[in-house]
Structure formats: structure tokens, C-alpha cells
Amino acid sequence: MSETMKARAASLAHLRRSKLGVGDPIPVPLTMASIYHAPGDATGFNQYGRFSNANWSATEEMLGHLEGAPCVAFPSGMGAISAAFFALLKTGDRILVASDGYHTTRILADRFLGAFGVKTDVRPTASFLDGGFQGYRLVFIESPSNPTLDICNIAAVADAVHKAGGLLIVDNTTMTPFGQRPLDLGADIVVAADTKAPNGHSDVLFGHVASRDPDIVAAVTEWRQNAGGIPGPFEAWLVHRGLETLELRFDRMCSTAEIIAPRLNAHPAVSGLRFPGLEGDPSHNLARVQMDRFGFLISFDLGSEERAEAFINGCELMHAATSFGGVHTVAERRLRRGDAVTPGFVRLSVGCEPAEELWTAMKASLDRLDG
Ligand SMILES: *Cc1c(COP(=O)(O)O)cnc(C)c1O
């Protein structure tokens, strides 16, 4: 971890310190309120639950501390992505989206932005620089892409997009700020699903937009206030709690993935394994430069739907579930979500279980495929 991120990790749990009076609770209290005592001039304090909430602010402060940029919280990752799109785009704009990223982003762009006259083009993450960026108001990438784990050079894309007069959004869900900080690489906006590793306990949906451009932050904040897609205070409170252990969990998950990926890759039942941390992976050389960690997602092929299902359901330390980044190891056959992958393609999210025990359980399930 860089010195900067070590310092941010250390102070993360102490952000409230300077605001505490004697006798105040050290953990952030839950503020469930739609209305506030608001006499006189209606400025300078909480007015209404759609405008502000103490739990949103506390969670945004933590996220902002990690991103090194102001953050605006949303009730889901898609809520954050929608806010960035709808607050910044207008009829006649063109956008460019990765063809192999999170599929819902493309559905949102095609179906809903399309209806307002915003045109969407797509391009694969691995060759994202090819073709240039002329004419695009917004360019949206995910690196590593979910679920095939290709990456692209974020700094080079940011530079080329800026020269063409556009803005670059990076969906950093797969990495979190402890794995990669796209704003430091030149991106204008980071969006992320805190549903995943930042909350980490698979019990909440949440998201955020981060940007160092005050106009962008103002635009998405205004969108939230007026469109009404606001986070629940309790959900914000849970994400606040989750963030206190993000560094610890992320470190464990990434370290375990580094142990397990080469062993999976060497197993005869596994083919086409992708993990940016694996020497020889097409993403590896760039990942070493651009990312602080290699992440906790591994994808591979088990040859058929039946074998993939048997592996997932037969592993006693793995849940069959969509989503990723939680304390439990989970895996999913991504064809069932409509990704452009083979029937036996598995996306594995390594959890917080001890590495050797987890590997023993995975190996037993793999060995049983041919038993
Ligand atoms: C899960 C996910 C989202 C959407 O997040 P939700 O909280 O489910 O709305 C967006 N982008 C990526 C890369 C994701 O994995």
C-alpha cells in the first residue's frame, strides 16, 4: 500500500474525532428523520430527508477520504451511474461504453438514455484506446472489467478523452480505492457499487459518485435531491460500519486470491483462467503499474454448465450467488446473467475465509468433477 493510502486507512476510523463533544457516542448514531426542527430562515441546517442526512454525510466523508475527492452517496451502484449519466448528458450527446463491462450500464444507456436522444457506442476494454474518442461527451470504462477481467490503460484513456474534449467516468467497483484510484490517473469521475466490497457483508445496496470537479459534484447532488433516488439512513449507517474494516477485508481477499489463482490455473479441470495478478495474464503488466492490488475476482472455464454448477454447489466454503466482494466466497456462472461468455464460465469472488481451508474445499470440489 502507498504511504498515502496507509495514512488514509489509519485515520479512517477517526474522522469523527474532531466533531465529538464530551459524552458523545464514538460510533456514528443513526438519524432516522424526514423532517427537522427548522424555524426561520431555511438555510444552513438539515431541512428535509430528501435534501440531507447525517448518516449520508458521515459515509460520504469516509468514502471521500479514501477517494481523495468529494463523494455523493446513492441507494445503489446503478443509482450512482444513473445520476452521473442523467445529470451530465443532454439530447444529441454521444457516449462510449465498454462492451464487456457490467451489463446493466449498457441496458441503462441503450434503453433509457437512447429514448432521450443520447447515442451509445460500445468497444472492448482490452482494445479501448483503438478508434479514438472524437465526438464523445462521456466515455465510461471499467478496469478490470466485470466479469472477464480485461483492463485498459486508464491514464492513457483519460488523456486521449480529454484531448477529444470529453469526460472519463471509471466504474471502480471491482477494485475499491484500496486497489486503484482512477481520479489520480486522470479520470474525471469515479462511480462505484458500495454494495460490493465497501459494505462487504452482502446486506445492503449502496453506491457513490466521486469527482474533484465541483460542478460535477453539484450536478449529481442536485440530481439526487430532485430525482429523489436517495440512500436510506440505515443503509448509509451499515456502509459506514463496513468501511471501517474495508482495508482489512480487501487485503485478506486479494492476498487469498493471489494464493488461489495459480493453484486453480494449474488444476486440470480449469481452463481460460483470468486473474490480473497471474504472470502471463494479458492484464498483468499493465495491472502491476496501474493497480495497487490485483483484486479478489478470478474467472475461469470449467467446460460446461453441468461441471460449473457441480463445482460451485459442491464446494462447502462457497455460495452460489451473484454479486461479489462480501465476506463469503461466492461464485456464479455468468451466462445466466446474459454476459457474453461460455456456459462453463465461472466468476469467483474470493471471500475472507482462511486461504488454505478455502483452497482445500475448492480443490475437493474440482477433484470430484472427474471422480
Ligand atoms: C454491482 C455492480 C454495479 C451495480 O451496483 P448495484 O449496487 O447492484 O446497483 C455497477 N458496476 C459494477 C462493476 C458492478 O459490479
Side-chain angles (χ1 to χ4, degrees):
M1 207 186 335
S2 69
E3 294 306 315
T4 308
M5 288 315 286
K6 271 191 218 161
R8 287 181 193 169
S11 48
L12 189 66
H14 299 282
L15 293 177
R16 278 170 49 72
R17 195 185 162 95
S18 64
K19 303 178 192 93
L20 293 179
V22 174
D24 282 348
I26 288 173
V28 64
L30 177 59
T31 304
M32 298 295 283
S34 61
I35 59 171
Y36 297 84
H37 180 56
D41 241 4
T43 50
F45 52 88
N46 291 321
Q47 301 282 323
Y48 185 52
R50 184 158 34 74
F51 304 168
S52 61
N53 172 276
N55 294 103
W56 306 351
S57 305
T59 305
E60 286 169 344
E61 185 183 13
M62 283 180 108
L63 289 166
H65 182 72
L66 295 180
E67 295 280 12
C71 286
V72 186
F74 288 91
S76 66
M78 288 316 303
I81 293 170
S82 300
F85 281 165
F86 284 92
L88 299 173
L89 291 170
K90 61 179 188 332
T91 301
D93 284 342
R94 292 180 80 88
I95 67 169
L96 178 65
V97 177
S99 56
D100 48 342
Y102 191 65
H103 59 290
T104 314
T105 304
R106 290 192 302 282
I107 296 173
L108 175 69
D110 267 348
R111 286 253 293 277
F112 296 95
L113 293 177
F116 290 97
V118 173
K119 189 107 174 46
T120 303
D121 294 325
V122 298
R123 189 182 287 178
T125 301
S127 56
F128 207 80
L129 275 165
D130 299 350
F133 301 102
Q134 212 57 47
Y136 293 115
R137 163 78 179 131
L138 275 186
V139 173
F140 188 103
I141 58 173
E142 223 177 281
S143 180
S145 61
N146 168 27
T148 42
L149 307 179
D150 276 322
I151 72 175
C152 61
N153 187 326
I154 296 174
V157 171
D159 195 44
V161 168
H162 292 155
K163 285 195 173 116
L167 294 172
L168 177 64
I169 305 186
V170 179
D171 183 334
N172 202 39
T173 300
T174 54
M175 289 315 291
T176 88
F178 284 115
Q180 170 175 273
R181 285 169 310 288
L183 297 175
D184 293 349
L185 299 169
D188 301 282
I189 299 168
V190 159
V191 293
D194 300 304
T195 307
K196 314 290 170 58
N199 178 62
H201 294 76
S202 312
D203 46 14
V204 156
L205 278 86
F206 208 77
H208 73 270
V209 174
S211 179
R212 292 174 185 155
D213 180 333
D215 293 340
I216 291 173
V217 173
V220 295
T221 306
E222 246 182 84
W223 163 264
R224 179 177 70 182
Q225 172 160 333
N226 292 291
I230 56 162
F234 184 53
E235 282 72 10
W237 186 90
L238 282 169
V239 174
H240 189 277
R241 167 182 283 208
L243 285 168
E244 290 180 336
T245 55
L246 173 59
E247 190 266 328
L248 203 60
R249 289 181 287 104
F250 185 72
D251 181 50
R252 163 69 75 94
M253 298 192 302
C254 293
S255 298
T256 303
E258 286 173 32
I259 293 168
I260 283 177
R263 296 185 190 178
L264 277 173
N265 196 39
H267 195 282
V270 171
S271 65
L273 183 134
R274 295 296 309 270
F275 176 63
L278 209 60
E279 251 176 80
D281 187 277
S283 296
H284 185 65
N285 288 341
L286 182 54
R288 288 177 67 103
V289 179
Q290 169 166 292
M291 290 149 60
D292 287 357
R293 298 300 299 264
F294 297 118
F296 50 80
L297 293 176
I298 304 172
S299 64
F300 51 91
D301 203 314
L302 289 174
S304 71
E305 172 177 342
E306 294 69 31
R307 288 165 70 83
E309 289 292 333
F311 164 66
I312 296 169
N313 299 318
C315 178
E316 58 193 25
L317 296 183
M318 183 180 294
H319 284 291
T322 193
S323 198
F324 57 81
V327 294
H328 332 78
T329 291
V330 302
E332 181 175 42
R333 255 185 353 97
R334 286 302 292 183
L335 187 64
R336 62 176 208 175
R337 298 280 150 211
D339 287 336
V341 294
T342 53
F345 179 98
V346 172
R347 182 189 66 197
L348 170 68
S349 171
V350 174
C352 292
E353 301 88 348
E356 291 305 329
E357 282 68 13
L358 183 57
W359 170 246
T360 301
M362 276 189 207
K363 182 174 183 307
S365 189
L366 284 173
D367 289 347
R368 277 194 291 272
L369 293 181
D370 294 309

